[in-house]
Amino acid sequence: MAKTIDISSKLTNERPRLKLAEGIEFEIDNRKNTILILNQKIQETDLNDLREVDGILELLLGKEAVQKIGEMDISFADYQTIFIACIAGAMGEDFEVVEARFRRAREEI
């Protein structure tokens, strides 16, 4: 009989959440197909173009969430923090790791 490797307890299918303030939370889409699209978009995108960044956030959070974030009238620095947090959540990485990578990439430009 073939050996069965049971990984069912390791698979959660849970989505990370982005919390901006009390009562303002959004689910981050971390599904495989979304991440494939995300990787392609990041390679092709000028991350200095906010319309492009909005498109990436729409991919990860949805159009309604991006509209709500826009209505919050936040600073550009806070917008970058939200973007980094979304990437971290989607990729399953720590915020600080993604932030450091983002900062290094910005310095190389």
Side-chain angles (χ1 to χ4, degrees), residues 65-105:
V66 172
Q67 287 174 337
K68 285 183 181 180
I69 291 169
E71 292 168 1
M72 293 173 69
D73 198 29
I74 59 175
S75 70
F76 180 69
D78 286 348
Y79 187 78
Q80 284 181 323
T81 300
I82 291 170
F83 179 78
I84 292 167
C86 287
I87 299 295
M91 302 300 287
E93 296 182 278
D94 290 335
F95 176 86
E96 292 77 12
V97 171
V98 176
E99 181 180 39
R101 189 179 321 133
F102 179 77
R103 301 291 178 216
R104 278 192 308 273

Side-chain angles (χ1 to χ4, degrees), residues 1-105:
M1 183 184 302
K3 181 178 179 179
T4 300
I5 300 172
D6 184 1
I7 62 167
S8 59
S9 64
K10 297 183 183 299
L11 305 176
T12 65
N13 205 27
E14 292 178 0
R15 306 276 181 259
R17 299 193 60 81
L18 174 68
K19 182 176 181 176
L20 300 180
E22 196 62 43
I24 303 176
E25 287 189 30
F26 306 109
E27 185 174 274
I28 300 172
D29 187 347
N30 66 343
R31 295 174 293 170
K32 177 191 69 83
N33 290 338
T34 301
I35 300 308
L36 291 173
I37 295 167
L38 171 67
N39 285 335
Q40 181 180 4
K41 281 186 172 280
I42 286 178
Q43 290 176 2
E44 298 171 352
T45 297
D46 175 7
L47 294 178
N48 291 314
D49 184 343
L50 288 180
R51 292 176 302 235
E52 296 287 344
V53 175
D54 281 348
I56 292 172
L57 286 178
E58 273 189 34
L59 175 68
L60 297 175
L61 299 175
K63 190 175 190 105
E64 184 179 314
V66 172
Q67 287 174 337
K68 285 183 181 180
I69 291 169
E71 292 168 1
M72 293 173 69
D73 198 29
I74 59 175
S75 70
F76 180 69
D78 286 348
Y79 187 78
Q80 284 181 323
T81 300
I82 291 170
F83 179 78
I84 292 167
C86 287
I87 299 295
M91 302 300 287
E93 296 182 278
D94 290 335
F95 176 86
E96 292 77 12
V97 171
V98 176
E99 181 180 39
R101 189 179 321 133
F102 179 77
R103 301 291 178 216
R104 278 192 308 273

